[in-house]
């Protein structure tokens, strides 16, 4: 959503999402499963990628792996050591937290508070219990490891991110995102490492998202109250899941329940119905035409905040084709959408704009000038795609075979109607009804179908 919106606003976005493919958890799990850490990480990475595709989440531009950035990590650790921010201890290297004066600022905690909260380490390896590992010496011979100035070992988790971030985005980055649980210690430590090494503010904007909760508790494996994306995708489609997430502000927790997902499904359905109904009223050609007129207007508003009034020709041309009241309404919709999204991604407000456009479109569709609703649907498709929705995709049964079978059933029913076999036609409708499939007959147009709750 963030990268889509920033690109829509005309920003040149480089979106990097890194993969941690070596850490304690991976090493332990790989050992249990008798596979290499690389094999284990690859298996889960493929699962993750499949789920992201199914959710219509855009892939990042660059997706570095920690194990391919080890040299860069060693370079930064060496630099920190030279500057006095790191020290070696029995083959491990630690970050000297007390030397970094801004430590704790991201999580709004003072060093004293953190220190009194930290458990005292039994091992005397660290100068201070808050010091964290930049490099970990190898423990057993068969363990995955790399050569370094401090002997064989592997990087700590936090330094992976500082190194990949610097390699692909530079010493300072605009936006760093992640779950709220990463603020401390992970992001606090990343910040400390990068700022100590490069003498620059690490991140201009931090975006930390709230958790999906059940009964107000974080969904997590350890609590056993979690659903996988694949579980969810069996019951709800990508548009619905996205809608559910976007109804809340990203910084807030989002409470999972079947009711709220059903509500989300109904929300998507209203938008999709507007698209389908309008398409069936004005036809695809008219919709495409409207799209061609609307898109440059959106672009102009995005770029300058207003219409190109200096380009009189364009305006006259537009006025001839788009009625003035319609134009004003569309401009208002676009501006509210942009203002909402510019306000720290107020997606629930942005969604309400989509509903406004959809309901105006539906009203115009049954008015004296139904052709004008094409502008509404063109705008609806454009703005909803900025939020990552694909309204042209049907809710469920979105696999090709199911849609083809439905078309077949509808054409059989059509045939029986032509033959005035009303009993058969009703039978088909009733039986489909039992499967929650609703048929909508239209005058002079093919029958359309949809799924009901
Ligand atoms: Zn990180």
């Amino acid at each position: 959503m963030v990268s889509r919106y920033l690109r829509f606003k005309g920003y040149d976005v480089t979106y990097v999402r890194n993969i941690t493919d070596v850490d304690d958890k991976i090493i332990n799990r790989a050992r249990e499963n008798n596979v290499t850490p690389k094999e284990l990480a690859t298996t889960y990475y493929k699962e993750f990628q499949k789920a992201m595709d199914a959710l219509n989440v855009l892939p990042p531009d660059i997706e570095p792996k920690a194990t391919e950035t080890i040299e860069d990590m060693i370079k930064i650790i060496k630099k920190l050591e030279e500057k006095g921010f790191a020290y070696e201890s029995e083959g491990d290297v630690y970050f000297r937290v007390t030397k970094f004066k801004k430590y704790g600022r991201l999580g709004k905690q003072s060093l004293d508070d953190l220190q009194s909260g930290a458990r005292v380490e039994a091992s005397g390896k660290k100068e201070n219990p808050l010091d964290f590992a930049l490099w970990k010496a190898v423990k057993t011979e068969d363990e995955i490891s790399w050569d370094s100035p401090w002997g064989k070992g592997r990087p700590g988790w936090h330094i992976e991110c500082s190194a990949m971030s610097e390699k692909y985005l530079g010493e300072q980055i605009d936006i760093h995102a992640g779950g709220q649980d990463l603020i401390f210690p992970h992001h606090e430590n990343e910040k400390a490492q990068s700022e100590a090494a490069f003498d620059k503010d690490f991140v201009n904007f931090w975006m930390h998202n709230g958790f999906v909760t059940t009964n107000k508790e974080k969904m997590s494996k350890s609590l056993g109250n979690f659903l996988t994306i694949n579980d969810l995708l069996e019951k709800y489609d990508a548009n619905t899941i996205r809608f559910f997430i976007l109804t809340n502000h990203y910084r807030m927790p989002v409470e999972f329940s079947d009711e709220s997902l059903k509500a989300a499904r109904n929300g998507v359905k209203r938008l999709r119905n507007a698209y389908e109904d309008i398409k069936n009223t004005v036809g695809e050609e008219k919709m495409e035409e409207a799209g061609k007129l609307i898109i440059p207007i959106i672009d102009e508003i995005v770029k300058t905040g207003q219409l190109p009034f200096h380009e009189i020709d364009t305006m006259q041309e537009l006025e001839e084709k788009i009625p003035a009241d319609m134009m004003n309404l569309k401009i208002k919709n676009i501006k509210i959408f942009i203002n909402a999204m510019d306000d720290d991604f107020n997606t629930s407000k942005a969604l309400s704009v989509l509903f406004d456009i959809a309901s105006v479109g539906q009203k115009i569709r049954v008015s004296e000038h139904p052709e004008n609703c094409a502008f509404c649907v063109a705008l609806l498709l454009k703005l909803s795609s900025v939020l990552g929705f694909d309204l042209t995709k049907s809710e469920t049964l979105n696999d090709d075979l199911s849609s083809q079978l439905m078309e077949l059933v509808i054409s059989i029913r059509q045939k029986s109607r032509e033959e005035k076999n009303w009993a058969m036609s009703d039978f088909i409708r009733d039986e489909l009804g039992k499967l929650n499939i609703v048929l909508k007959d239209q005058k002079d147009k093919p029958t359309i179908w949809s799924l009901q709750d």
Side-chain angles (χ1 to χ4, degrees), residues 251-268:
R251 291 190 196 273
M252 301 304 284
V254 44
E255 173 74 9
F256 173 88
S257 70
D258 273 314
E259 290 86 87
S260 43
L261 270 143
K262 275 183 191 149
R265 181 156 68 190
N266 285 333
V268 174

Side-chain angles (χ1 to χ4, degrees), residues 18 20 157-158 160-162 164 176-177 182 186-187 190 206:
N18 71 282
T20 297
W157 172 35
H158 316 300
E160 296 181 358
C161 294
S162 285
M164 288 186 273
H176 191 328
L182 295 180
H186 186 53
H187 288 164
E190 271 184 40
W206 288 93

Side-chain angles (χ1 to χ4, degrees), residues 128-169:
N128 185 305
L130 284 178
D131 291 351
F132 55 90
L134 299 167
W135 188 262
K136 296 179 175 183
V138 72
K139 290 189 199 84
T140 56
E141 264 310 304
D142 60 335
E143 202 173 276
I144 183 168
S145 67
W146 289 264
D147 288 324
S148 82
W150 316 281
K152 272 187 177 312
R154 63 191 163 84
W157 172 35
H158 316 300
I159 196 69
E160 296 181 358
C161 294
S162 285
M164 288 186 273
S165 174
E166 190 258 340
K167 183 167 181 183
Y168 295 100
L169 294 165

Side-chain angles (χ1 to χ4, degrees), residues 45 77 82 202 250 308 333-334:
Y45 171 64
I77 301 171
E82 280 158 23
F202 177 39
Y250 75 88
N333 286 149
I334 298 165

